[in-house]
Amino acid sequence: MECIKVKDLAYSYDGENYAVKNVSFNIKRGSYTTIIGHNGSGKSTIAKLLIGLLEKNQGSIEIEGLELNMENIYKIRNKVGIVFQNPDNQFIGSTVRDDIAFGLENHCVPQIQMDPIIEEFAKKVNMSEFLDSEPGHLSGGQKQRVAIAGVLAMHPDIIIFDESTSMLDPQGKDEIKRFIYQLHQNKQLTIISITHDIEEVSVSDDVIVMNDGNIIMHGKPEEVLLNDKKLIDIKLDVPFSIKLSLALAKQGIKIEKQLSLEKVVDAICQLDLKK
Ligand SMILES: Nc1ncnc2c1ncn2[C@@H]1O[C@H](COP(=O)(O)OP(=O)(O)O)[C@@H](O)[C@H]1O
Ligand SMILES: [Mg+2]
C-alpha cells in the first residue's frame, strides 16, 4: 500500500544549516501528492534525496519496500523518474527522438527495440509529429512533454515533477497540468508534484505543506487548504474560488475540476435545496 516511507529524514548542504529537518511521511502507491511551500522550504532537497541525488545525513527512506542505500541505489533510480523545472536543461540530443532515446540507451535497451518505444511514448504525450524536430524549436510546454515521455519510457513506479510547469506560459502550464491529471487516472503511477499552483493542489489526493525544512501539514486538500490558521501563519494564499469549491466538496457537492462561476452558482443552489 505505502510505496514511499520516509522517517526522521534530515539533510544539510553545509553541515550547519538544515535544509530538511527531521521529516517523516508516507505516500500511498498510485496516489497523487502535491508538495507546496515557499521558496527555500526544502521541497527540491526532498525530491533529490528521494532519487538518491543527495545522500541523507539522518533518517531512512524506503521506496517500494527497498531501503535507499548504496546497495539499492541503482534499483531505486530505475523506479523513480523526475522532471525538473527548466525544460532547456533536460535536452542534449539534436532531435526529439534522440532525447527520448537517451534514457533508454542509459538503461541498455537494445537499439532494435528503441524505435517502437520512442514512438509509443511520443504518442502518449501527443508529440508524434515532432519526433524529428529540434528540441530547441519547441514551445516550453512541448519541451516538458518530451521530457515526460523520456521519463515515462523508463517505466518508473514513481514520477516526481519539481515545479515542472513554473517556467511555462499559461497554455503550457495548462497542458502539463492536464497531462499529469490524466496520468493519475490509471493509478499505475505514484505521482509527486512540487508546485505553487493551488488549483493543481486542490485536485490532488494529498498535500504536503513545507515550511523552513519541516512538514507543517499533510492531508487531503480540503483539510489542508481550509486550515486558515496555519495557512496565515506561513502567509500562504488560497484563492477564494478554490476554498469555496473545497468547502462545497466537504458538504458532498462535487464541482468539476475546472471551476466556473456557473458551476459554483449551481452548487450553491444545490446546497440550499439540501437544507
Ligand atoms: N546546492 C545547494 N547548496 C547549498 N544550499 C542549498 C543548495 N540547494 C538548496 N540549498 C538551500 O537549501 C534550502 C532548501 O532549498 P530547496 O530544497 O531548493 O527549497 P525549495 O525547493 O523549497 O525552494 C534553502 O535554504 C537553499 O538555499
Ligand atoms: Mg525547488
Side-chain angles (χ1 to χ4, degrees):
M1 188 72 171
E2 309 288 358
C3 94
I4 299 177
K5 289 188 192 174
V6 170
K7 198 158 186 309
D8 302 328
L9 182 66
Y11 182 80
S12 169
Y13 288 94
D14 58 9
E16 203 172 311
N17 305 299
Y18 276 77
V20 170
K21 304 168 182 169
N22 217 31
V23 155
S24 300
F25 62 92
N26 291 341
I27 287 182
K28 287 189 219 63
R29 183 169 303 127
S31 66
Y32 174 14
T33 300
T34 43
I35 305 183
I36 55 174
H38 293 296
N39 288 337
S41 58
K43 305 180 299 294
S44 295
T45 304
I46 287 200
K48 288 176 188 156
L49 288 163
L50 288 178
I51 57 171
L53 268 182
L54 295 174
E55 201 182 331
K56 63 185 164 42
N57 295 129
Q58 178 205 298
S60 65
I61 300 175
E62 197 184 297
I63 300 211
E64 293 285 356
L66 283 178
E67 178 75 28
L68 176 53
N69 54 28
M70 289 312 274
E71 197 185 324
N72 290 331
I73 190 154
Y74 290 102
K75 277 191 202 148
I76 287 179
R77 284 204 186 141
N78 280 334
K79 293 178 185 295
V80 193
I82 187 160
V83 180
F84 290 104
Q85 181 173 42
N86 187 345
D88 293 321
N89 293 345
Q90 342 202 30
F91 290 102
I92 20 77
S94 57
T95 64
V96 166
R97 185 183 295 276
D98 291 344
D99 271 311
I100 302 179
F102 180 73
L104 296 172
E105 280 163 12
N106 277 348
H107 278 65
C108 305
V109 173
Q111 198 73 33
I112 188 158
Q113 289 172 16
M114 261 189 217
D115 271 343
I117 300 177
I118 292 171
E119 274 149 33
E120 176 191 346
F121 285 93
K123 190 163 173 226
K124 272 203 168 64
V125 298
N126 226 345
M127 288 295 288
S128 299
E129 56 193 293
F130 296 95
L131 274 175
D132 297 310
S133 306
E134 260 184 62
H137 292 162
L138 304 176
S139 71
Q142 289 171 330
K143 285 178 190 170
Q144 284 302 57
R145 279 191 277 149
V146 173
I148 294 170
V151 171
L152 291 179
M154 249 85 78
H155 292 290
D157 298 306
I158 300 161
I159 185 165
I160 303 175
F161 295 93
D162 189 355
E163 299 195 30
S164 308
T165 66
S166 63
M167 297 181 76
L168 307 180
D169 59 19
Q171 194 196 334
K173 277 191 175 46
D174 256 17
E175 265 171 45
I176 300 301
K177 258 167 39 181
R178 252 182 289 133
F179 189 78
I180 296 175
Y181 195 77
Q182 259 178 33
L183 263 185
H184 175 50
Q185 298 312 302
N186 68 22
K187 315 272 188 218
Q188 305 277 310
L189 261 179
T190 304
I191 299 173
I192 299 175
S193 178
I194 298 170
T195 182
H196 288 290
D197 188 319
I198 299 294
E199 194 188 284
E200 181 187 350
V201 174
S202 75
V203 301
S204 64
D205 296 329
D206 296 290
V207 194
I208 291 176
V209 186
M210 292 208 56
N211 191 49
D212 195 20
N214 294 301
I215 292 181
I216 57 162
M217 281 194 272
H218 184 180
K220 305 270 161 233
E222 59 270 29
E223 294 158 6
V224 169
L225 298 181
L226 294 175
N227 190 334
D228 284 331
K229 196 175 165 302
K230 281 205 171 160
L231 293 176
I232 289 167
D233 276 352
I234 58 161
K235 300 189 176 65
L236 212 127
D237 240 2
V238 177
F240 176 71
S241 60
I242 288 180
K243 283 190 177 171
L244 180 59
S245 91
L246 289 169
L248 290 168
K250 261 188 139 173
Q251 302 281 327
I253 298 172
K254 275 270 181 227
I255 303 187
E256 291 298 304
K257 252 175 20 79
Q258 298 298 335
L259 203 58
S260 75
L261 188 58
E262 204 180 325
K263 284 179 188 152
V264 175
V265 172
D266 272 356
I268 293 172
C269 291
Q270 276 184 50
L271 194 60
D272 254 343
L273 290 176
K274 276 176 91 183
K275 276 188 182 160

